[in-house]
Amino acid sequence: MRGTVSTPVMSSAVNNRTDSTGLLVLAVDDEAPGLSEIKYLLESSPHIRRVLTAFDAAEALRILRGDYDVEVMDRTRAGLPPVDAVFADINMPGLSGTDLARVLGAFRQPPALVFVTGVEHSEAVVAFEVGALDFVTKPINSDRVNKAISRVVDRVAATPAATPEPTAAEPQDDEVIPVELGGTIKLVPRATVRYVEAQGDYARLHTNDGASHLVRIPLAQLEERWENAGFVRIHRSYLVALPLVTELRMTSNGYAVVIGSGEGAKELPVSRRHTRELKERIVRPPKSSWG
């Protein structure tokens, strides 16, 4: 039966080790007993420094984005994988383990992936097709988990030195945002988002197809995370994709921007405190145009 978590932060667990050596690992399983077991076995290894946990793939993606954990965010900014490895159940409702694997494969620095599965042969084939490093069959035991950990250690040791996170002038990988609606989970690429609207501690993503999706991420956090992807704050309630802005116009209440054109155009207010920065961003020529 699915476990319950009082707050997102509490879904992450830290073992008693406080040193900075060892692996940072994320365990994902929608069954509380299975999650507790894999967490215990991982923490029993001298190679593991810290274990984060998630009850489904959507929560795992939020953790890997650094929504709940400063260390994960700092690792990503330093050009490292958000965690060293993900141990994930392959059969989960909503986003399955293989769905999670395909999203991880799009990361600039993907972590090692180990599947935990109840069927050895058929699912092992799927696991390696989506780039899993190893798979552990249920019921799991410490020897098999330790072998998987050893493979992760070898993988991490063979990984080239980290490079800094790309700057605004460099191409960015497109982030995928998991959106939960009516018991299903949809993956929304950041590139499809026109603007974001604040709704309390949540944010509503407005996409190119006219749809909108409510996500449990504060607008301020998206502003910081998407700055290098071309998004700019124009108002306390709005974050817009700057390349999609077609007009900056004066209104009776001050400035406003228009996103898109024709029937699908959308006008949004620009607050006084953001007007100057927005004007500078709009008229600022690309660095490559200076000779």
Side-chain angles (χ1 to χ4, degrees):
M1 183 174 181
R2 182 184 171 94
T4 58
V5 180
S6 57
T7 65
V9 175
M10 291 300 292
S11 68
S12 300
V14 186
N15 63 19
N16 292 328
R17 298 182 180 88
T18 57
D19 59 281
S20 59
T21 61
L23 302 176
L24 175 64
V25 175
L26 172 62
V28 191
D29 196 321
D30 65 302
E31 299 288 340
L35 186 60
S36 296
E37 185 175 16
I38 188 64
K39 173 180 176 290
Y40 171 78
L41 292 175
L42 288 170
E43 290 182 338
S44 299
S45 169
H47 297 292
I48 304 298
R49 173 176 58 85
R50 189 177 177 208
V51 179
L52 308 174
T53 60
F55 279 115
D56 57 35
E59 184 182 14
L61 289 174
R62 289 192 289 268
I63 291 172
L64 293 170
R65 287 201 310 254
D67 289 1
Y68 310 147
D69 194 272
V70 174
E71 182 181 5
V72 172
M73 183 178 292
D74 288 344
R75 285 171 59 100
T76 302
R77 288 174 174 170
L80 294 167
V83 296
D84 294 302
V86 176
F87 282 70
D89 185 11
I90 201 168
N91 289 317
M92 293 185 290
L95 291 178
S96 67
T98 52
D99 293 328
L100 175 62
R102 293 184 178 96
V103 176
L104 294 181
F107 279 31
R108 184 169 179 263
Q109 291 287 347
L113 175 63
V114 177
F115 276 133
V116 181
T117 173
V119 182
E120 182 171 357
H121 298 292
S122 61
E123 291 182 349
V125 173
V126 174
F128 290 115
E129 284 180 349
V130 294
L133 179 67
D134 201 354
F135 69 97
V136 177
T137 56
K138 296 180 179 180
I140 58 179
N141 61 74
S142 59
D143 289 341
R144 190 62 188 88
V145 171
N146 286 333
K147 287 181 181 178
I149 292 173
S150 294
R151 297 195 68 180
V152 173
V153 170
D154 292 341
R155 160 80 174 271
V156 172
T159 301
T163 56
E165 190 178 61
T167 63
E170 296 174 325
Q172 295 263 323
D173 294 324
D174 191 22
E175 182 178 335
V176 177
I177 305 94
V179 176
E180 301 173 50
L181 179 63
T184 63
I185 299 175
K186 180 178 180 180
L187 298 179
V188 179
R190 181 181 58 201
T192 66
V193 178
R194 303 171 70 200
Y195 67 96
V196 187
E197 181 181 4
Q199 294 193 349
D201 292 333
Y202 290 71
R204 184 169 292 280
L205 311 178
H206 295 265
T207 54
N208 294 329
D209 59 3
S212 68
H213 309 280
L214 191 65
V215 294
R216 190 171 53 185
I217 307 173
L219 189 65
Q221 189 174 119
L222 284 179
E223 177 186 8
E224 179 181 357
R225 204 159 77 201
W226 290 5
E227 179 182 7
N228 288 344
F231 282 79
V232 60
R233 189 75 167 261
I234 63 167
H235 189 277
R236 66 181 181 180
S237 298
Y238 295 106
L239 181 70
V240 302
L242 192 60
L244 299 183
V245 173
T246 55
E247 292 183 32
L248 175 63
R249 61 171 62 155
M250 279 289 296
T251 70
S252 58
N253 296 318
Y255 280 94
V257 296
V258 177
I259 300 174
S261 58
E263 293 183 359
K266 177 69 176 181
E267 182 176 297
L268 298 172
V270 180
S271 66
R272 183 176 300 177
R273 61 173 296 197
H274 291 100
T275 298
R276 180 176 179 180
E277 179 185 359
L278 178 63
K279 286 182 177 180
E280 290 177 352
R281 291 285 296 271
I282 288 175
V283 303
R284 185 186 303 160
K287 292 182 179 180
S288 59
S289 69
W290 293 94

